[in-house]
């Protein structure tokens, strides 16, 4: 995976962009920042916009 902690992704069905705080590339899991509590694990299949796609679209929409 070409994402790193600090990058932002957008998930299917989520209106906001989320910050990546970790990853497990072997399993295809990203760990996303939450307001409180432990990081939220999500599968790479749930991402609809990757950091380079967000940049092309001009940031958050």
């Amino acid at each position: 995976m070409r994402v790193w902690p600090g990058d932002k992704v957008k998930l299917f069905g989520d209106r906001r962009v989320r910050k990546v705080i970790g990853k497990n590339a072997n399993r295809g899991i990203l760990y996303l920042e939450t307001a409180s509590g432990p990081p939220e694990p999500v599968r790479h299949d749930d991402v609809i916009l990757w950091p380079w796609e967000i940049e092309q679209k001009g940031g958050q929409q």
Side-chain angles (χ1 to χ4, degrees), residues 5-17:
D7 285 345
K8 295 184 179 181
V9 296
K10 188 169 183 185
L11 302 177
F12 179 77
D14 199 348
R15 295 182 58 107
R16 60 189 171 102
V17 174

Side-chain angles (χ1 to χ4, degrees), residues 6-33:
D7 285 345
K8 295 184 179 181
V9 296
K10 188 169 183 185
L11 302 177
F12 179 77
D14 199 348
R15 295 182 58 107
R16 60 189 171 102
V17 174
R18 309 276 302 276
K19 184 177 176 182
V20 176
I21 59 172
K23 67 179 180 177
N24 183 331
N26 293 332
R27 293 183 171 212
I29 303 289
L30 297 173
Y31 297 96
L32 304 180
E33 183 176 65

